[in-house]
Amino acid sequence: MAIACVKTRANKGVDAPSVTVEVHLSNGLPAFNLVGLPETSVKESKERVRSAIINTGFEFPVRRITVNLAPADLPKQGGRYDLPIAIGILAASGQIPHGSITSLEFIGELALSGHIRHCQGLIPVIVSAQKQQVGIILPTDNQDDAVLVGYTNVHFANTLQSLCAFLHGQTRLPSIGSDVHWQDPPSQHSANNVGCLSDILGQQQAKLGLEIAAAGDHNLLMMGPPGTGKTMLASRILGILPNLNYQEALEVATLYSVAGQTIEKNTFFSRKFRNPHHTSSAISLIGGGSIPQPGEISLAHKGVLFLDEIAEFPRKVLDCLREPMETGEIVISRAAAKLTYASQFQLIAAMNPSPCGDINNPRANPDQILRYLSRLSGPFLDRFDLSLDVPKLPVGALNSPHSQQETSQTIAIRVKKAREIQLERSGVLNSELTGTQLKKTNWFHPADLIYLEEILNKLGLSVRSYHKIQRVARTIADLKHAKNIDRSHIAQALSYRAIDKLFNTLKAY
């Protein structure tokens, strides 16, 4: 019977559902029919497959060819189906043995010459194949993807001719070998080419705030006049954050693969720092499109999303970040699909406190400053755990002799130790502690909680802020290796509420 079934995989967000390519050759007028909900890019594979088979030296059957991509209700897009369709036609016409393809999956785009081209978004395919322990044939140009995953039952084909020779048992195809192990990140810190905090003059309070944010994975808002070092501080947070573990790094690499971006082997365990411009649209930030793709918040998963000049972002765009900041994921619903992408990022933002840059500028009165700050909605500002002032340096600070500053490497050791304490105690970082978890612990003295509630009522803050201050105080205590939280930790956490103090000052005028 002139029929063959070839296994491959589709792309559906970060998932790679199995697809069976069924090829049937029958008598009748020569035709090539492709069914199974193919998009335009898949329909065009008919001409690529025909030319590739002929130019490789095989015979293209002059018969009625029907190719079914099952399941029929799953949309198929891209050129990744070229190779399995070609293998199915060759197997159905008896030019390669059926038994050689039963335990393998095939993915690749074909050139007219028979060369097998690179395909994007194959890391989810390799991860799925690894879970099911099946062999897979990939383009040679996708070798780096397999190396990142570390799956050894992968073979790489450069041409259709060499692949068919392998299926006939006449030759061998290269693989990544059995010496690739990614289970543990390198011991050396990944602070290469990100600068050191010791390069920044002064700003000790801001550096301490950055350390607290890094230790507890807290969201941070920095306010200050232009040129005070806000952007430099934000860019150096990668130097004090620990490396990703294997599972986290693989999650990030999968999102980059789906987005059509690559991650180099030497940066596999490094946290990502995304810095979109303030003209970015909501779709570019949270993801979407006709074929939903990950946005900046997903590409910053387990890393840092830095929004410079945050007050210049459209308010509607910023408010789109509110739900992902709470849930750690974004659900994109479109007519074609409903996809969920992970987006557990740390938000670092910087802004000027007034439209003139400096709050003491006589050109800006309190009403103008309030209108400027109102570009950020209250619920969005409520998502920041810390907000701090980054003031101008005092007169003479630039030319005075500077004392030895702490390096990022020294601070990174404290941050890593504080994170280890949190994970050992609660299983999560302090920023992920729930209100119930905070209430059940004995970290706070009842009198200190009453003191905190009184301060919140004076500042007019929400219950969310009440819990966030407790989480920040817990992180401050962890950095000092304190088991319980005293009032000094709470007072220090309250000192990082610069935006609330600014609003209360302006309202007093």
Side-chain angles (χ1 to χ4, degrees):
M1 183 172 61
I3 190 169
C5 295
V6 182
K7 293 291 186 180
T8 185
R9 290 188 181 272
N11 57 328
K12 187 179 180 182
V14 294
D15 299 321
S18 179
V19 172
T20 302
V21 179
E22 302 171 336
V23 180
H24 179 231
L25 305 183
S26 60
N27 297 325
L29 293 175
F32 193 164
N33 298 314
L34 191 61
V35 297
L37 210 59
E39 302 290 342
T40 303
S41 57
V42 182
K43 293 178 182 178
E44 292 173 346
S45 67
K46 294 187 290 185
E47 301 306 322
R48 294 193 295 269
V49 168
R50 178 186 285 108
S51 297
I53 289 177
I54 294 173
N55 291 327
T56 306
F58 293 97
E59 179 184 354
F60 189 81
V62 188
R63 301 177 67 184
R64 186 175 186 84
I65 304 172
T66 303
V67 177
N68 178 40
L69 307 177
D73 59 346
L74 178 67
K76 324 293 190 308
Q77 51 238 207
R80 61 172 60 196
Y81 301 99
D82 292 3
L83 184 59
I85 291 173
I87 293 297
I89 292 174
L90 293 175
S93 59
Q95 300 181 70
I96 58 174
H98 281 259
S100 63
I101 65 174
T102 55
S103 60
L104 293 173
E105 296 180 352
F106 300 82
I107 288 182
E109 179 182 333
L110 288 174
L112 300 183
S113 62
H115 178 78
I116 303 176
R117 287 176 169 159
H118 175 273
C119 293
Q120 78 173 45
L122 292 196
I123 287 184
V125 170
I126 303 169
V127 171
S128 298
Q130 184 181 37
K131 290 178 180 178
Q132 299 182 11
Q133 289 298 303
V134 296
I136 186 169
I137 305 294
L138 297 181
T140 303
D141 294 339
N142 284 100
Q143 185 169 349
D144 290 343
D145 293 337
V147 170
L148 291 181
V149 178
Y151 184 43
T152 56
N153 194 10
V154 179
H155 298 281
F156 305 101
N158 194 41
T159 63
L160 182 60
Q161 187 176 22
S162 63
L163 174 56
C164 291
F166 168 76
L167 296 176
H168 276 286
Q170 299 171 352
T171 186
R172 300 180 64 182
L173 291 177
S175 60
I176 63 173
S178 59
D179 58 341
V180 177
H181 298 286
W182 286 103
Q183 299 306 314
D184 297 309
S187 56
Q188 184 177 359
H189 195 266
S190 60
N192 299 326
N193 302 321
V194 296
C196 182
L197 280 171
S198 61
D199 299 333
I200 302 175
L201 300 179
Q203 305 298 1
Q204 296 305 316
Q205 184 76 354
K207 291 178 182 178
L208 180 55
L210 197 69
E211 179 181 345
I212 295 169
D217 197 34
H218 300 294
N219 298 322
L220 171 65
L221 173 64
M222 294 182 286
M223 297 191 308
T228 55
K230 301 184 295 296
T231 304
M232 290 181 65
L233 283 164
S235 64
R236 280 154 174 75
I237 192 172
L238 289 186
I240 62 177
L241 288 172
N243 283 327
L244 299 167
N245 60 38
Y246 170 75
Q247 192 58 44
E248 291 172 337
L250 188 57
E251 288 178 15
V252 175
T254 301
L255 290 164
Y256 271 70
S257 178
V258 172
Q261 301 186 31
T262 58
I263 290 182
E264 299 296 332
K265 182 179 177 181
N266 59 349
T267 62
F268 181 61
F269 290 104
S270 301
R271 296 182 186 270
K272 304 302 178 281
F273 184 87
R274 305 296 298 187
N275 183 15
H277 194 260
H278 65 258
T279 56
S280 300
S281 65
I283 289 178
S284 69
L285 275 182
I286 67 171
S290 56
I291 301 175
Q293 296 287 318
E296 291 290 339
I297 62 173
S298 296
L299 298 179
H301 180 58
K302 297 296 182 180
V304 175
L305 177 68
F306 176 52
L307 301 183
D308 201 3
E309 304 295 346
I310 191 171
E312 302 301 328
F313 281 81
R315 181 168 175 166
K316 290 183 178 180
V317 172
L318 293 178
D319 283 342
C320 290
L321 303 179
R322 285 157 51 182
E323 292 87 349
M325 289 172 69
E326 291 291 323
T327 62
E329 64 181 21
I330 180 69
V331 180
I332 303 173
S333 297
R334 296 292 184 269
K338 181 179 181 180
L339 303 177
T340 301
Y341 292 119
S343 57
Q344 191 177 351
F345 59 93
Q346 182 177 7
L347 179 60
I348 306 294
M351 64 178 291
N352 299 325
S354 82
C356 298
D358 192 347
I359 196 170
N360 296 319
N361 194 311
R363 293 186 298 163
N365 58 49
D367 289 338
Q368 290 174 319
I369 296 174
L370 279 172
R371 282 197 299 271
Y372 177 76
L373 296 177
S374 66
R375 297 180 183 181
L376 308 177
S377 67
F380 176 70
L381 286 174
D382 221 14
R383 263 68 175 183
F384 286 99
D385 304 89
L386 301 95
S387 60
L388 55 89
D389 281 316
V390 185
K392 291 181 178 179
L393 293 175
V395 177
L398 295 176
N399 296 311
S400 62
H402 303 294
S403 59
Q404 185 67 30
Q405 302 284 335
E406 273 194 315
T407 63
S408 293
Q409 188 175 5
T410 302
I411 300 173
I413 294 173
R414 292 200 298 267
V415 168
K416 184 177 180 181
K417 180 62 179 176
R419 283 182 169 234
E420 289 173 351
I421 292 172
Q422 296 164 39
L423 294 174
E424 184 178 352
R425 179 183 59 231
S426 308
V428 294
L429 296 177
N430 287 338
S431 64
E432 301 175 54
L433 291 172
T434 64
T436 304
Q437 288 176 303
L438 291 168
K439 190 174 182 179
K440 287 182 178 179
T441 62
N442 296 319
W443 297 332
F444 297 90
H445 192 278
D448 293 336
L449 291 178
I450 294 173
Y451 160 75
L452 175 58
E453 187 175 359
E454 291 174 351
I455 297 296
L456 288 180
N457 289 331
K458 289 180 181 179
L459 293 175
L461 301 181
S462 66
V463 176
R464 181 186 283 115
S465 298
Y466 176 70
H467 290 144
K468 284 188 178 296
I469 292 171
Q470 291 184 44
R471 297 185 189 110
V472 173
R474 177 68 267 179
T475 301
I476 294 170
D478 289 336
L479 284 168
K480 298 178 180 178
H481 299 170
K483 184 177 180 180
N484 292 320
I485 302 169
D486 58 35
R487 188 165 297 192
S488 66
H489 301 140
I490 297 175
Q492 187 176 351
L494 284 167
S495 69
Y496 293 110
R497 305 295 300 184
I499 188 70
D500 302 316
K501 296 171 185 174
L502 177 59
F503 273 120
N504 279 277
T505 301
L506 293 172
K507 291 175 182 177
Y509 283 98

